[in-house]
Amino acid sequence: MNNSIWKIQKKGYDQLTKNLKVQVVVVGGGIAGFLTAHELSNRGFEGVLLEANQILEGVTEKTTAFIAGLQGILYQKLNKTYGLSLAKKYFKLHENAIYEYEKLVQEHNIICEFTKLPAYLFTRKSSKSLIKEFDTLKKIGTGVNYLTKLQNVPIKINGVIKLENQAMFHPLKFLMGLPINFTIYEHSQVVHFNLKQKVLYTNLAKVEAEHIVFATHFPLFTCPNLFPFKMYQSKSYCLAVSNTQNLEGLYIEDTSDGLTLRNYKHHIIIGGGDHNTCEIKKVSPYKNLKKEADKLFNKSPVHYEWETQDCMTMDELPYIDRLNKTYPNVFIITGFNKWGMAKALMGSKIIADLMQNKQNEFYELCAINRKAAIKNPVKTLGHALNSVWNLFVSFCGVPIENYKNLKNNEGGIFLVKGKKRGVYRDETGKFYFVNARCSHLKCELNFDPHNKTFVCPCHGSLYDIEGNVLREPAIKPISVNKN
């Protein structure tokens, strides 16, 4: 089961089959692309939105849909790295996002269960870091309170920060209620582009544009800016259990792999189990989440479960900017670090302001040329070493096991007729063979036994057993042969 609670029936859109010349093209039909198209159309721009598959079915459909300023142990890091002024601005971005979401809901009469309620950041470990986070938030002037217990969730904690007037909603109902004057094309994957000429190519057509916005999950290009060395992807998991208990808040644990909790109608959504896509867990993360759910909510039945991948930057700030001075009419919006609801909305305004050569008070949070790698050398070096190691394995490692020993529903990387191949054996015993290297930067793939997919350990590209791309940055499938 990989079925999100947010999944709804949506209008379908045509595939792009003819060449176009437009003012703006937005690449990516998730929340960032959708909100950017909405904002630009409100400012008088005209254009198209291109989605490789179906709109709002990627990360947007697999979110927990928190709009909250509390995001783990973050503000003390921002204060240490960039100073208190920037940390304060980051908090203000999220407060403004809540205001803007509420305004849009009211303006367009969107029924999306938008609800304001408190957020709670809690710890089950030592309270030392949480107290430091609280002190930083107080210096920012956020109006937080420090508590020693939770009222509505039976978790034994060692401290909790409470922040009023945060928000949650149904993301797809909200987005489908927004008017967008851009023409939308589905099943129109960008397979090649020339940024100098401002031309994009799909399988069936080309689009020439005055302005290009890349709102894909992970950037589709390596150069300029070397995004694959500035970002990585993290995987996380969610369950929705049938339970009518009102939690009366949003709950966020202080660790990167900790729990998140919220209500949606007659369900409680439990998130967690985050890990780098370079790791393949031996035990299904859903099992661990289910154990937590059973303890907290008396073995309530699971009705939905889903997973997602988030783009992570070295300093936990997004990239929302012009690509560079060479390509001033090419823009990018990415790197939401698991908290994309606020950043997508405020990022759409940053992109629109850049396009109109206006100043935006939050631009410095998102600028591409900030020294994120230099400011975070340990994380940057760790990510670089992981990529180098996987490239080494790709070219030098030699599998020794025989793929014919695979049991049904198993897979892995094997030598097949002298060449490395990803191999999967389905429930009938049929073998599937794919190229063992990612089509993005040639890292060797891993097989994920829980989802029956091949995943790139370097940058998180995901393929099905037939080699089709499920998640970027890869845009090309890997060769497939069947027996």
Side-chain angles (χ1 to χ4, degrees):
M1 175 175 28
N2 190 5
N3 183 26
S4 169
I5 198 170
W6 310 125
K7 194 172 186 70
I8 60 173
Q9 188 71 32
K10 301 188 297 292
K11 175 185 175 182
Y13 295 90
D14 292 337
Q15 184 179 25
L16 179 62
T17 58
K18 62 180 181 180
N19 297 342
L20 297 175
K21 286 187 178 182
V22 296
Q23 186 179 21
V24 182
V25 57
V26 176
V27 183
I31 188 170
F34 220 75
L35 288 173
T36 300
H38 168 77
E39 183 67 26
L40 290 173
S41 61
N42 277 355
R43 299 196 191 192
F45 288 91
E46 297 178 347
V48 298
L49 184 151
L50 303 180
E51 166 55 36
N53 297 300
Q54 292 179 290
I55 60 167
L56 310 178
E57 286 201 348
V59 176
T60 303
E61 191 183 67
K62 307 295 173 58
T63 180
T64 52
F66 287 35
I67 317 171
L70 297 181
Q71 299 173 10
I73 303 300
L74 175 62
Y75 290 94
Q76 58 190 274
K77 296 177 189 175
L78 294 179
N79 182 28
K80 182 179 179 180
T81 306
Y82 294 112
L84 195 64
S85 176
L86 186 135
K88 184 174 183 177
K89 193 164 287 188
Y90 183 86
F91 182 84
K92 185 180 179 182
L93 179 145
H94 289 80
E95 295 295 284
N96 283 21
I98 293 169
Y99 169 80
E100 293 291 343
Y101 270 114
E102 187 171 27
K103 186 169 75 171
L104 286 169
V105 168
Q106 293 173 353
E107 180 181 347
H108 300 290
N109 297 313
I110 303 173
I111 300 172
C112 61
E113 292 80 44
F114 180 88
T115 307
K116 295 179 76 172
L117 70 179
Y120 299 89
L121 176 63
F122 66 91
T123 186
R124 292 188 275 187
K125 298 182 178 181
S126 167
S127 61
K128 184 177 179 180
S129 289
L130 193 71
I131 291 171
K132 189 174 180 180
E133 187 76 0
F134 173 74
D135 290 340
T136 306
L137 286 162
K138 290 294 285 185
K139 289 177 184 176
I140 289 172
T142 59
V144 290
N145 291 304
Y146 192 86
L147 310 173
T148 56
K149 62 180 180 179
L150 293 171
Q151 295 290 337
N152 298 302
V153 179
I155 299 177
K156 186 178 180 181
I157 64 165
N158 291 317
V160 58
I161 299 171
K162 180 181 180 181
L163 177 64
E164 297 283 0
N165 293 315
Q166 305 306 285
M168 63 182 185
F169 68 143
H170 189 302
L172 270 66
K173 288 183 180 179
F174 169 78
L175 292 166
M176 295 307 295
L178 278 182
I180 293 181
N181 295 326
F182 276 37
T183 303
I184 298 172
Y185 293 100
E186 293 183 324
H187 307 292
S188 301
Q189 182 184 20
V190 172
V191 296
H192 180 63
F193 44 83
N194 186 318
L195 299 183
K196 188 175 182 179
Q197 296 179 4
K198 294 181 287 185
V199 179
L200 304 175
Y201 298 88
T202 70
N203 285 324
L204 299 175
K206 74 174 181 178
V207 180
E208 299 174 73
E210 295 175 31
H211 305 280
I212 301 172
V213 181
F214 284 97
T216 55
H217 181 55
F218 198 102
L220 300 182
F221 34 77
T222 301
C223 295
N225 296 309
L226 299 175
F227 285 109
F229 301 97
K230 294 180 176 181
M231 300 169 61
Y232 61 97
Q233 294 206 60
S234 176
K235 186 171 282 192
S236 56
Y237 306 83
C238 286
L239 302 175
V241 299
S242 177
N243 194 301
T244 58
Q245 178 184 343
N246 188 355
L247 302 182
E248 299 182 20
L250 306 172
Y251 297 83
I252 304 122
E253 195 166 4
D254 65 331
T255 56
S256 61
D257 60 348
L259 294 180
T260 61
L261 302 163
R262 63 159 286 185
N263 289 105
Y264 178 66
K265 293 188 174 180
H266 301 305
H267 290 86
I268 294 173
I269 299 171
I270 305 158
D274 300 32
H275 62 88
N276 194 307
T277 53
C278 69
E279 302 175 58
I280 300 296
K281 297 295 184 180
K282 292 182 179 180
V283 178
S284 169
Y286 291 119
K287 288 185 178 180
N288 293 329
L289 273 185
K290 184 64 167 62
K291 286 179 183 178
E292 292 276 15
D294 287 346
K295 276 194 304 183
L296 296 174
F297 305 113
N298 300 318
K299 298 186 177 181
S300 298
V302 176
H303 284 182
Y304 303 89
E305 64 180 41
W306 65 96
E307 66 177 65
T308 192
Q309 287 183 193
D310 293 282
C311 288
M312 314 296 287
T313 62
M314 300 304 162
D315 60 357
E316 302 186 51
L317 296 174
Y319 289 117
I320 306 169
D321 201 350
R322 286 188 173 92
L323 197 55
N324 60 17
K325 291 180 180 178
T326 305
Y327 307 111
N329 294 320
V330 179
F331 306 84
I332 190 164
I333 175 168
T334 187
F336 292 161
N337 294 277
K338 300 190 287 188
W339 297 95
M341 300 295 102
K343 291 166 190 165
L345 179 55
M346 301 308 292
S348 71
K349 297 180 180 298
I350 294 171
I351 294 292
D353 283 340
L354 286 168
M355 208 172 284
Q356 294 181 321
N357 294 309
K358 294 180 179 179
Q359 290 187 337
N360 186 291
E361 64 175 310
F362 301 113
Y363 170 72
E364 69 171 315
L365 290 169
C366 316
I368 286 176
N369 63 1
R370 67 180 188 270
K371 306 301 181 182
I374 297 172
K375 297 278 189 179
N376 298 269
V378 175
K379 187 183 285 189
T380 302
L381 181 61
H383 174 60
L385 288 174
N386 173 64
S387 296
V388 170
W389 170 253
N390 282 290
L391 283 169
F392 172 80
V393 169
S394 178
F395 287 96
C396 301
V398 179
I400 58 174
E401 295 184 16
N402 191 322
Y403 75 89
K404 293 181 181 178
N405 294 329
L406 282 172
K407 297 178 182 177
N408 289 359
N409 292 316
E410 289 185 343
I413 305 300
F414 299 89
L415 274 182
V416 180
K417 296 181 181 179
K419 294 183 178 180
K420 281 188 181 180
R421 291 288 182 258
V423 185
Y424 173 69
R425 190 173 195 169
D426 70 14
E427 64 276 4
T428 69
K430 181 186 290 187
F431 288 103
Y432 293 75
F433 300 93
V434 301
N435 194 321
R437 292 181 189 169
C438 180
S439 64
H440 176 227
L441 291 180
K442 306 304 181 184
C443 288
E444 186 169 301
L445 302 172
N446 292 329
F447 180 74
D448 184 344
H450 309 301
N451 298 303
K452 309 298 185 287
T453 53
F454 291 96
V455 59
C456 174
C458 295
H459 306 109
S461 296
L462 195 67
Y463 305 86
D464 65 19
I465 59 171
E466 296 185 333
N468 300 305
V469 177
L470 299 177
R471 285 182 184 145
E472 68 278 339
I475 57 177
K476 295 179 180 178
I478 44 183
S479 57
V480 178
N481 293 302
K482 295 180 186 178
N483 270 358

